[in-house]
Amino acid sequence: MNFSNKTSRVFGKIANKAFPHIIQTFINRLYVYVFKIDMSEFEKPCSYKTLNALFTRSLIKPRNTDAKPFNLISPTDSLIMEQGALKDYKALQIKGMEYSVLPFLGLSDTKEIESIKDYKFINLYLSPKDYHRFHAPCDLEVLEAKYFSGRLLPVNKPSLLKNKDLFNINERVVLKVRFSYNKEIAYYVAVGALNVGKMSFSFDVKIKTNAKFGDAIYTYKDCFFKAGDEIGTFEMGSTIVLIANMLFAKDAQDTIKMGQELALLNKNS
């Protein structure tokens, strides 16, 4: 196990420790202050029994969303770090830093590879201040989940600029999904990062991340989500990468809230 994974596991144990209430409240309030977290949609900091419970906080009430049959809403509160068209099956982790999406997605089937040649990508970066749950960007069906073990390097801007092929190095869970609107296949990828000791998924407790057993593939039948439904949770910040046939509704470097319109879908003829 490499240093970043060990660090993340140690941090995870500390973050899950429940300190006496007065100490825990101080820790929670300090974290909120340091990272300038807007808690208006969440419980008060003193109500969380561990730091991890604060990281993975849920909304007090569901958000109104901009979901329509023909669009994608943002699955996260995040920064659109980068977006663009795939070029020779390559995407940008950040400007000037390309990586191949074929190993990223674990694609080897010729038909699957050919089907994504005109797709686009969006990288959504969650910082430590952000709400850490991720949601369905539209009505969809989850067909498959692939877990790729790997490192847990930071996914912030300095690390993206420094580490070549970071998205192919870091651990990740690749969801192969089918959009209900046009029946097209797309990919929804949760990328692990430093101090993300765990990524959990609401539809399958068997998916274990930062794990010792290596890669795994899970397949599903009738695993449906409506736009805005919760899909999973990051512990600390990370990145969601969407790879799909879509038209952008926002620009790179825009900040976006979960539920706001992110992209438009093409209607399948």
Side-chain angles (χ1 to χ4, degrees), residues 69-72 138 179 181-182 245-247 263-267:
F70 53 84
N71 76 352
L72 298 178
C138 64
F179 292 154
Y181 171 65
N182 56 17
N245 187 12
M246 57 189 166
L247 301 171
L264 303 176
L265 297 176
N266 296 311
K267 186 169 183 178

Side-chain angles (χ1 to χ4, degrees), residues 156-180:
N156 55 25
K157 186 175 180 179
S159 183
L160 290 171
L161 289 168
K162 176 183 176 183
N163 294 292
K164 185 179 180 181
D165 279 343
L166 186 149
F167 286 169
N168 283 331
I169 292 170
N170 272 23
E171 82 161 7
R172 58 202 179 276
V173 175
V174 179
L175 302 183
K176 181 181 179 180
V177 304
R178 178 186 291 121
F179 292 154
S180 299

Side-chain angles (χ1 to χ4, degrees), residues 46-61:
C46 63
S47 67
Y48 299 99
K49 294 182 179 180
T50 66
L51 189 55
N52 188 58
L54 174 61
F55 294 157
T56 59
R57 60 194 180 275
S58 59
L59 297 164
I60 294 174
K61 61 180 182 179

Side-chain angles (χ1 to χ4, degrees), residues 89 107-117 176 187:
Y89 300 106
L107 296 185
S108 57
D109 179 80
T110 303
K111 187 176 179 180
E112 281 191 307
I113 292 171
E114 177 69 17
S115 71
I116 70 166
K117 67 178 182 179
K176 181 181 179 180
Y187 298 89

Side-chain angles (χ1 to χ4, degrees), residues 23-210:
I23 297 175
Q24 191 65 58
T25 297
F26 172 78
I27 292 170
N28 293 352
R29 287 177 174 167
L30 179 63
Y31 184 81
V32 169
Y33 173 77
V34 169
F35 289 103
K36 298 179 174 58
I37 300 173
D38 179 0
M39 295 294 291
S40 60
E41 294 182 283
F42 309 99
E43 300 289 351
K44 294 180 180 179
C46 63
S47 67
Y48 299 99
K49 294 182 179 180
T50 66
L51 189 55
N52 188 58
L54 174 61
F55 294 157
T56 59
R57 60 194 180 275
S58 59
L59 297 164
I60 294 174
K61 61 180 182 179
R63 283 186 189 160
N64 295 324
T65 74
D66 297 331
K68 302 177 182 68
F70 53 84
N71 76 352
L72 298 178
I73 57 172
S74 178
T76 54
D77 289 3
S78 46
L79 169 71
I80 303 174
M81 185 69 78
E82 192 59 81
Q83 64 182 24
L86 298 183
K87 296 180 179 179
D88 297 324
Y89 300 106
K90 292 182 179 179
L92 296 175
Q93 63 185 37
I94 200 167
K95 188 175 182 179
M97 298 283 281
E98 289 184 334
Y99 70 99
S100 173
V101 301
L102 300 184
F104 178 65
L105 300 176
L107 296 185
S108 57
D109 179 80
T110 303
K111 187 176 179 180
E112 281 191 307
I113 292 171
E114 177 69 17
S115 71
I116 70 166
K117 67 178 182 179
D118 296 321
Y119 276 22
K120 297 181 175 69
F121 67 91
I122 300 177
N123 305 340
L124 299 165
Y125 167 67
L126 290 76
S127 74
K129 71 177 176 60
D130 288 319
Y131 166 63
H132 290 83
R133 301 194 178 210
F134 45 93
H135 297 251
C138 64
D139 294 357
L140 57 81
E141 180 183 6
V142 176
L143 304 175
E144 181 182 79
K146 293 180 181 177
Y147 168 65
F148 294 90
S149 59
R151 299 183 66 182
L152 291 170
L153 298 171
V155 290
N156 55 25
K157 186 175 180 179
S159 183
L160 290 171
L161 289 168
K162 176 183 176 183
N163 294 292
K164 185 179 180 181
D165 279 343
L166 186 149
F167 286 169
N168 283 331
I169 292 170
N170 272 23
E171 82 161 7
R172 58 202 179 276
V173 175
V174 179
L175 302 183
K176 181 181 179 180
V177 304
R178 178 186 291 121
F179 292 154
S180 299
Y181 171 65
N182 56 17
K183 307 305 180 186
E184 288 192 337
I185 299 298
Y187 298 89
Y188 181 119
V189 188
V191 182
L194 185 67
N195 294 335
V196 179
K198 183 179 178 182
M199 296 182 282
S200 60
F201 293 81
S202 63
F203 58 91
D204 193 345
V205 297
K206 297 190 301 296
I207 301 175
K208 303 293 184 183
T209 60
N210 198 359

